[in-house]
DNA sequence: GGCATCCTGACC
DNA sequence: GGTCAGGATGCC
């Protein structure tokens, strides 16, 4: 799925396109996408509302309407697309699960092959996104905040960083990339990182996310921006998806493993597994 | 923690 | 035909 840099890219570009426009009508093609509302109730509630803002919390897209919020989570394969006009072919295309006709004549579309994504209407978006950790690019996420997170848990570092309640926005790609940058093995226990390692990890997470946003996200397969364009960060990945390819830093082949039931990529030389004897705990 | 589940499609 | 996939949740 889109992770923080992809969602941030979508939010910036959507915001420039649709803020100030108005929803004329909504059409739901996959009822589960808008549950617990029925498609009719969803369409009725969304119609004739102006779009005031588009923002992000973690990987959630928050669209502020008149006295109502629309929350979108793209999960694995979701896209938010803006089309200059809706035509029969687009409206009928197989993977469009929900679409909105806008007053300007344009269309906003929620496209999703795997149908894991969800579109919710609510009055309080922060209540609906639930218990999320700090924004990794926000002011509250400081080196001290990361050190606190690391010492407060005794978990493997990769699953810890993937936990949205701990830190909001990282996914499989950017966790692998951040750990590669920091030279930390994905199985390291979080509380065993020393001061220098924690500082490196902090800088690595922020630098990786910022660079990926500059490149407008990573397209491995499905990700597209609202104009249906691929992101440019893929060629900059050092570890993720590069099994057996040379590590950009030392040339050693990147190793693929499974950590927390997620495909995981690391350099066995740059990311040595210190403290492996703790794994049994 | 590990694993199944929600889905579809690509690749081997 | 089997395996894998950028996510999240819920169950042992």
């Amino acid at each position: 799925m889109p992770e923080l840099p992809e969602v941030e890219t979508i939010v910036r570009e959507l915001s420039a396109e649709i803020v100030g426009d108005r929803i004329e009508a909504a059409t739901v093609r996959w009822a589960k996408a808008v549950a617990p509302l029925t498609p009719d109730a969803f369409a009725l509630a969304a119609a004739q509302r102006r779009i005031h803002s588009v923002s992000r919390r973690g990987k959630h897209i928050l669209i502020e309407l008149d006295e109502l919020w629309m929350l979108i989570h793209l999960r694995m394969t979701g896209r938010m697309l803006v089309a200059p006009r809706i035509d029969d072919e687009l409206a009928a295309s197989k993977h469009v699960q929900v679409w909105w006709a806008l007053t300007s004549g344009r269309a906003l579309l929620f496209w999703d092959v795997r149908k894991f994504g969800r579109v919710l209407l609510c009055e309080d978006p922060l209540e609906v996104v639930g218990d999320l950790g700090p924004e990794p690019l926000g002011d509250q996420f400081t080196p001290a905040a990361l050190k606190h997170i690391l010492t407060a848990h005794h978990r493997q570092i990769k699953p810890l960083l993937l936990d949205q309640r701990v830190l909001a926005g990282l996914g499989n790609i950017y966790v692998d990339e951040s750990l590669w940058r920091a030279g930390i093995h994905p199985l390291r226990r979080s509380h065993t990182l020393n001061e220098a390692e924690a500082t490196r990890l902090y800088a690595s997470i922020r630098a990786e996310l910022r660079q990926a946003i500059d490149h407008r996200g990573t397209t491995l397969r499905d990700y597209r921006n609202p104009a249906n364009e691929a992101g440019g960060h893929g060629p900059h990945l050092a570890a993720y998806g590069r099994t057996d390819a040379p590590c950009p830093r030392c040339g050693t082949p990147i190793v693929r493993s499974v950590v927390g039931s997620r495909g995981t990529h690391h350099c066995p030389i740059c990311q040595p597994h210190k403290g492996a004897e703790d794994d049994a705990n």
Side-chain angles (χ1 to χ4, degrees), chain A residues 155-166:
Chain A
R155 295 171 60 185
Q156 293 169 345
I157 188 72
K158 171 159 178 170
L160 181 70
L161 294 176
L162 282 174
D163 189 334
Q164 302 298 297
R165 295 167 302 183
V166 169

Side-chain angles (χ1 to χ4, degrees), chain A residues 34-265:
Chain A
V34 301
L37 289 184
T38 64
D40 285 348
F42 180 91
L44 188 64
Q48 301 304 319
R49 297 201 194 246
R50 190 167 293 278
I51 299 166
H52 292 285
S53 69
V54 181
S55 58
R56 175 185 70 71
R57 177 73 175 97
K59 303 175 193 174
H60 301 260
I61 299 169
L62 279 51
I63 300 181
E64 182 187 8
L65 308 173
D66 295 315
E67 295 167 16
L68 193 68
W69 292 76
M70 190 155 69
L71 263 60
I72 298 159
H73 200 303
L74 301 172
R75 294 285 181 96
M76 296 287 266
T77 54
R79 300 176 180 172
M80 290 301 292
L81 303 171
V82 177
R85 60 183 60 255
I86 192 75
D87 54 55
D88 293 343
E89 184 186 341
L90 194 54
S93 66
K94 188 176 176 185
H95 302 304
V96 173
Q97 312 301 350
V98 182
W99 65 275
W100 299 261
L102 305 181
T103 302
S104 65
R106 292 174 303 175
L108 177 65
L109 302 99
F110 170 61
W111 183 104
D112 192 8
V113 172
R114 289 177 71 180
K115 300 179 176 175
F116 289 170
R118 294 293 180 260
V119 181
L120 303 174
L121 292 175
C122 66
E123 290 178 5
D124 182 358
L126 294 186
E127 179 190 327
V128 174
V129 300
D131 182 19
L132 287 183
E135 286 291 329
L137 293 177
D139 292 342
Q140 293 180 3
F141 185 61
T142 59
L146 177 61
K147 284 166 200 165
H148 178 73
I149 288 169
L150 295 175
T151 53
H153 300 270
H154 290 206
R155 295 171 60 185
Q156 293 169 345
I157 188 72
K158 171 159 178 170
L160 181 70
L161 294 176
L162 282 174
D163 189 334
Q164 302 298 297
R165 295 167 302 183
V166 169
L167 193 59
L170 294 185
N172 214 22
I173 296 176
Y174 297 108
V175 166
D176 280 5
E177 291 301 302
S178 298
L179 291 173
W180 177 85
R181 280 194 187 230
I184 295 168
H185 193 282
L187 288 174
R188 278 288 293 285
R189 294 280 160 176
S190 57
H191 65 288
T192 70
L193 267 64
N194 64 31
E195 181 82 13
E197 287 170 326
T199 303
R200 274 209 316 272
L201 181 57
Y202 174 82
S204 298
I205 291 169
R206 304 257 290 195
E208 177 64 26
L209 293 176
R210 288 202 169 108
Q211 195 187 355
I213 291 169
D214 285 346
H215 292 136
R216 296 161 64 246
T218 300
T219 297
L220 297 177
R221 167 184 257 143
D222 294 296
Y223 169 70
R224 293 289 187 284
N225 73 355
N228 205 28
E229 300 160 335
H233 192 62
H236 300 272
L237 297 178
Y240 189 86
R242 297 192 66 251
T243 310
D244 297 332
C247 167
R249 195 156 42 208
C250 75
T252 304
I254 296 291
V255 171
R256 183 186 187 278
S257 62
V258 175
V259 176
S261 60
R262 308 298 301 277
T264 296
H265 311 76

